[in-house]
Amino acid sequence: MKLICFLLFVVFIAPATPDLDEIRKDFTLATNDRESALALRDKLETVSKEDNTILVAYKGAVSALTAKYTKDNAERKDLFKNGVLLLEFAVSQKPENIEIRCLRLSIQENSPKFLKYRSNIEEDKTFILDHYEKTNSKAVRDFVKSYILQSTGFNTEEKQRF
């Protein structure tokens, strides 16, 4: 009986872990669309630091990203600050992860200069350029490549490598 109750809890009550492939696609949409960003933020709401570090990085990046869609200054500041904390936590846990570095780079390249969250741009860019070919996952390579090709932080020569 206990086993049945546990299985019912896991299947029907416990929140499902978001699908990483779906999150990658949603993040790309969220960068230019308010509704997509807010929907993704809601989808990642249950993710905590104890979960998959990559999901934590996406939660942080989306939180920082949705700050630009918020009119209230205090809420905007909190969203960005909390997002950066989660993103930096993810980088500290997995500094060798190219996807997490790409997420941080995307937020730093696109955050306003007055927020002073731009100190790792060159470090992350170099890391991505040096480690892209070593990445085994096609989904991750596609995500990183997609970001690089639209980024203004990479020059034409660097983009041609992809």
Side-chain angles (χ1 to χ4, degrees):
M1 185 65 177
K2 288 181 183 179
L3 179 63
I4 293 172
C5 289
F6 175 74
L7 291 174
L8 286 172
F9 173 78
V10 169
V11 172
F12 294 107
I13 298 172
T17 302
D19 176 60
L20 204 45
D21 288 332
E22 188 178 311
I23 297 299
R24 286 182 188 109
K25 291 175 189 168
D26 292 347
F27 183 79
T28 301
L29 294 173
T31 58
N32 294 313
D33 181 66
R34 180 183 188 276
E35 296 307 316
S36 296
L38 296 176
L40 183 54
R41 186 177 73 186
D42 290 344
K43 189 183 290 187
L44 294 171
E45 185 176 346
T46 61
V47 171
S48 70
K49 286 183 176 179
E50 291 77 34
D51 291 323
N52 179 319
T53 308
I54 297 171
L55 289 175
V56 173
Y58 274 101
K59 181 177 182 175
V62 170
S63 180
L65 176 67
T66 56
K68 76 178 184 179
Y69 298 121
T70 305
K71 294 188 186 322
D72 180 78
N73 285 337
E75 183 181 6
R76 183 181 302 145
K77 179 182 175 186
D78 287 344
L79 283 169
F80 190 81
K81 181 179 169 186
N82 292 333
V84 166
L85 288 173
L86 288 173
L87 199 47
E88 290 300 324
F89 170 80
V91 172
S92 74
Q93 296 302 299
K94 295 203 176 203
E96 75 292 345
N97 188 292
I98 193 170
E99 187 170 12
I100 293 172
R101 294 287 197 105
C102 185
L103 288 168
R104 179 170 72 175
L105 178 63
S106 73
I107 297 303
Q108 287 194 359
E109 280 187 346
N110 293 292
S111 67
K113 289 181 182 178
F114 72 87
L115 292 174
K116 297 181 180 163
Y117 185 60
R118 303 173 72 80
S119 60
N120 305 102
I121 290 175
E122 284 305 314
E123 172 191 342
D124 289 344
K125 180 180 163 185
T126 301
F127 181 88
I128 290 167
L129 291 171
D130 291 346
H131 291 85
Y132 180 81
E133 292 300 324
K134 300 172 191 168
T135 305
N136 294 329
S137 168
K138 181 178 177 352
V140 172
R141 279 196 318 272
D142 289 347
F143 175 78
V144 172
K145 178 181 178 179
S146 173
Y147 179 74
I148 289 169
L149 293 177
Q150 64 80 39
S151 170
T152 58
F154 290 85
N155 63 38
T156 305
E157 182 181 313
E158 290 166 335
K159 289 180 181 185
Q160 286 175 348
R161 291 175 51 183
F162 300 93

